[in-house]
PDB file of all heavy atoms in Angstrom:
ATOM      1  N   PHE A  83      -7.380  -4.212   8.564  1.00 93.00           N
ATOM      2  CA  PHE A  83      -7.670  -3.571   7.275  1.00 93.00           C
ATOM      3  C   PHE A  83      -8.651  -2.422   7.459  1.00 93.00           C
ATOM      4  O   PHE A  83      -8.493  -1.359   6.850  1.00 93.00           O
ATOM      5  CB  PHE A  83      -8.228  -4.614   6.303  1.00 93.00           C
ATOM      6  CG  PHE A  83      -8.426  -4.101   4.915  1.00 93.00           C
ATOM      7  CD1 PHE A  83      -7.345  -3.613   4.188  1.00 93.00           C
ATOM      8  CD2 PHE A  83      -9.673  -4.117   4.321  1.00 93.00           C
ATOM      9  CE1 PHE A  83      -7.519  -3.142   2.889  1.00 93.00           C
ATOM     10  CE2 PHE A  83      -9.858  -3.647   3.023  1.00 93.00           C
ATOM     11  CZ  PHE A  83      -8.779  -3.162   2.310  1.00 93.00           C
ATOM     12  N   SER A  89      -7.771   5.117   9.146  1.00 92.00           N
ATOM     13  CA  SER A  89      -6.648   6.028   9.411  1.00 92.00           C
ATOM     14  C   SER A  89      -6.242   6.789   8.160  1.00 92.00           C
ATOM     15  O   SER A  89      -6.011   8.002   8.192  1.00 92.00           O
ATOM     16  CB  SER A  89      -5.452   5.237   9.947  1.00 92.00           C
ATOM     17  OG  SER A  89      -5.767   4.598  11.150  1.00 92.00           O
ATOM     18  N   PRO A 114       8.939  -6.049   4.127  1.00 84.00           N
ATOM     19  CA  PRO A 114      10.190  -6.761   3.899  1.00 84.00           C
ATOM     20  C   PRO A 114      11.042  -6.905   5.156  1.00 84.00           C
ATOM     21  O   PRO A 114      11.667  -7.952   5.361  1.00 84.00           O
ATOM     22  CB  PRO A 114      10.904  -5.892   2.844  1.00 84.00           C
ATOM     23  CG  PRO A 114       9.801  -5.209   2.126  1.00 84.00           C
ATOM     24  CD  PRO A 114       8.762  -4.927   3.178  1.00 84.00           C
ATOM     25  N   ILE A 120      11.714 -12.560  10.469  1.00 79.00           N
ATOM     26  CA  ILE A 120      11.164 -13.901  10.625  1.00 79.00           C
ATOM     27  C   ILE A 120      12.157 -14.941  10.115  1.00 79.00           C
ATOM     28  O   ILE A 120      12.351 -16.001  10.712  1.00 79.00           O
ATOM     29  CB  ILE A 120       9.816 -14.022   9.888  1.00 79.00           C
ATOM     30  CG1 ILE A 120       8.767 -13.181  10.598  1.00 79.00           C
ATOM     31  CG2 ILE A 120       9.365 -15.472   9.812  1.00 79.00           C
ATOM     32  CD1 ILE A 120       8.505 -13.562  12.042  1.00 79.00           C
ATOM     33  N   ALA A 140      11.606   5.444  -5.059  1.00 75.00           N
ATOM     34  CA  ALA A 140      10.391   5.960  -4.433  1.00 75.00           C
ATOM     35  C   ALA A 140      10.605   7.374  -3.919  1.00 75.00           C
ATOM     36  O   ALA A 140       9.729   8.236  -4.018  1.00 75.00           O
ATOM     37  CB  ALA A 140       9.962   5.037  -3.298  1.00 75.00           C
ATOM     38  N   ASP A 151       5.391  20.123   7.046  1.00 64.00           N
ATOM     39  CA  ASP A 151       4.650  21.297   7.481  1.00 64.00           C
ATOM     40  C   ASP A 151       3.951  20.948   8.793  1.00 64.00           C
ATOM     41  O   ASP A 151       3.245  19.930   8.863  1.00 64.00           O
ATOM     42  CB  ASP A 151       3.615  21.684   6.416  1.00 64.00           C
ATOM     43  CG  ASP A 151       2.999  23.063   6.681  1.00 64.00           C
ATOM     44  OD1 ASP A 151       2.839  23.405   7.859  1.00 64.00           O
ATOM     45  OD2 ASP A 151       2.674  23.751   5.712  1.00 64.00           O
ATOM     46  N   LEU A 174      -0.826 -10.919   8.883  1.00 93.00           N
ATOM     47  CA  LEU A 174      -1.897 -11.831   9.272  1.00 93.00           C
ATOM     48  C   LEU A 174      -2.429 -12.602   8.069  1.00 93.00           C
ATOM     49  O   LEU A 174      -2.636 -13.827   8.135  1.00 93.00           O
ATOM     50  CB  LEU A 174      -3.023 -11.048   9.937  1.00 93.00           C
ATOM     51  CG  LEU A 174      -2.688 -10.408  11.285  1.00 93.00           C
ATOM     52  CD1 LEU A 174      -3.793  -9.467  11.744  1.00 93.00           C
ATOM     53  CD2 LEU A 174      -2.454 -11.482  12.339  1.00 93.00           C
ATOM     54  N   VAL A 178      -2.859 -16.600   6.949  1.00 93.00           N
ATOM     55  CA  VAL A 178      -4.134 -17.176   6.520  1.00 93.00           C
ATOM     56  C   VAL A 178      -3.969 -17.891   5.185  1.00 93.00           C
ATOM     57  O   VAL A 178      -4.501 -18.984   4.968  1.00 93.00           O
ATOM     58  CB  VAL A 178      -5.215 -16.073   6.416  1.00 93.00           C
ATOM     59  CG1 VAL A 178      -6.475 -16.608   5.749  1.00 93.00           C
ATOM     60  CG2 VAL A 178      -5.546 -15.522   7.791  1.00 93.00           C
ATOM     61  N   PRO A 184      -7.173 -17.999  -2.033  1.00 92.00           N
ATOM     62  CA  PRO A 184      -7.254 -16.531  -2.072  1.00 92.00           C
ATOM     63  C   PRO A 184      -8.657 -15.962  -1.915  1.00 92.00           C
ATOM     64  O   PRO A 184      -8.880 -15.054  -1.105  1.00 92.00           O
ATOM     65  CB  PRO A 184      -6.663 -16.176  -3.436  1.00 92.00           C
ATOM     66  CG  PRO A 184      -5.843 -17.341  -3.828  1.00 92.00           C
ATOM     67  CD  PRO A 184      -6.476 -18.530  -3.221  1.00 92.00           C
ATOM     68  N   ILE A 196     -16.270  -5.167   7.955  1.00 93.00           N
ATOM     69  CA  ILE A 196     -17.490  -4.363   7.786  1.00 93.00           C
ATOM     70  C   ILE A 196     -17.920  -3.702   9.086  1.00 93.00           C
ATOM     71  O   ILE A 196     -18.167  -2.486   9.140  1.00 93.00           O
ATOM     72  CB  ILE A 196     -18.626  -5.233   7.216  1.00 93.00           C
ATOM     73  CG1 ILE A 196     -18.306  -5.637   5.775  1.00 93.00           C
ATOM     74  CG2 ILE A 196     -19.952  -4.485   7.270  1.00 93.00           C
ATOM     75  CD1 ILE A 196     -19.313  -6.609   5.187  1.00 93.00           C
ATOM     76  N   LEU A 206     -17.904   8.870  14.068  1.00 87.00           N
ATOM     77  CA  LEU A 206     -17.514  10.156  13.495  1.00 87.00           C
ATOM     78  C   LEU A 206     -18.704  10.916  12.909  1.00 87.00           C
ATOM     79  O   LEU A 206     -18.542  12.035  12.410  1.00 87.00           O
ATOM     80  CB  LEU A 206     -16.468   9.929  12.397  1.00 87.00           C
ATOM     81  CG  LEU A 206     -15.117   9.399  12.878  1.00 87.00           C
ATOM     82  CD1 LEU A 206     -14.239   9.030  11.696  1.00 87.00           C
ATOM     83  CD2 LEU A 206     -14.412  10.417  13.754  1.00 87.00           C
ATOM     84  N   ALA A 222     -15.260  -0.773  -5.319  1.00 92.00           N
ATOM     85  CA  ALA A 222     -15.448  -2.137  -4.808  1.00 92.00           C
ATOM     86  C   ALA A 222     -14.914  -3.170  -5.799  1.00 92.00           C
ATOM     87  O   ALA A 222     -14.226  -4.124  -5.408  1.00 92.00           O
ATOM     88  CB  ALA A 222     -16.929  -2.388  -4.515  1.00 92.00           C
ATOM     89  N   THR A 244       9.410  -9.204  -2.170  1.00 83.00           N
ATOM     90  CA  THR A 244       8.801  -9.005  -3.477  1.00 83.00           C
ATOM     91  C   THR A 244       7.469  -8.264  -3.357  1.00 83.00           C
ATOM     92  O   THR A 244       7.171  -7.354  -4.136  1.00 83.00           O
ATOM     93  CB  THR A 244       8.586 -10.352  -4.180  1.00 83.00           C
ATOM     94  OG1 THR A 244       9.825 -11.063  -4.240  1.00 83.00           O
ATOM     95  CG2 THR A 244       8.050 -10.160  -5.585  1.00 83.00           C
ATOM     96  N   ILE A 245       6.668  -8.642  -2.358  1.00 86.00           N
ATOM     97  CA  ILE A 245       5.387  -7.966  -2.132  1.00 86.00           C
ATOM     98  C   ILE A 245       5.607  -6.495  -1.818  1.00 86.00           C
ATOM     99  O   ILE A 245       4.948  -5.597  -2.362  1.00 86.00           O
ATOM    100  CB  ILE A 245       4.624  -8.635  -0.981  1.00 86.00           C
ATOM    101  CG1 ILE A 245       4.235 -10.069  -1.346  1.00 86.00           C
ATOM    102  CG2 ILE A 245       3.374  -7.825  -0.619  1.00 86.00           C
ATOM    103  CD1 ILE A 245       3.194 -10.187  -2.406  1.00 86.00           C
ATOM    104  N   VAL A 251       4.648  -0.001  -7.203  1.00 79.00           N
ATOM    105  CA  VAL A 251       3.977   0.263  -8.477  1.00 79.00           C
ATOM    106  C   VAL A 251       2.908   1.346  -8.305  1.00 79.00           C
ATOM    107  O   VAL A 251       2.597   2.084  -9.239  1.00 79.00           O
ATOM    108  CB  VAL A 251       3.366  -1.040  -9.027  1.00 79.00           C
ATOM    109  CG1 VAL A 251       2.483  -0.773 -10.233  1.00 79.00           C
ATOM    110  CG2 VAL A 251       4.478  -2.012  -9.412  1.00 79.00           C
ATOM    111  N   GLY A 275      13.310   7.868 -11.073  1.00 81.00           N
ATOM    112  CA  GLY A 275      12.698   7.116  -9.976  1.00 81.00           C
ATOM    113  C   GLY A 275      11.911   5.927 -10.472  1.00 81.00           C
ATOM    114  O   GLY A 275      12.017   4.818  -9.924  1.00 81.00           O
ATOM    115  N   ARG A 288      14.291 -12.247  -9.744  1.00 68.00           N
ATOM    116  CA  ARG A 288      15.205 -13.271 -10.294  1.00 68.00           C
ATOM    117  C   ARG A 288      15.331 -14.495  -9.414  1.00 68.00           C
ATOM    118  O   ARG A 288      15.224 -15.610  -9.908  1.00 68.00           O
ATOM    119  CB  ARG A 288      16.576 -12.652 -10.581  1.00 68.00           C
ATOM    120  CG  ARG A 288      16.568 -11.673 -11.739  1.00 68.00           C
ATOM    121  CD  ARG A 288      17.949 -11.067 -11.959  1.00 68.00           C
ATOM    122  NE  ARG A 288      18.938 -12.089 -12.288  1.00 68.00           N
ATOM    123  CZ  ARG A 288      20.236 -11.842 -12.403  1.00 68.00           C
ATOM    124  NH1 ARG A 288      20.693 -10.616 -12.198  1.00 68.00           N
ATOM    125  NH2 ARG A 288      21.070 -12.807 -12.704  1.00 68.00           N
TER     126      ARG A 288
END
Side-chain angles (χ1 to χ4, degrees):
F83 186 60
S89 299
I120 291 300
D151 191 326
L174 293 170
V178 170
I196 292 174
L206 294 172
T244 305
I245 295 291
V251 171
R288 290 179 61 187

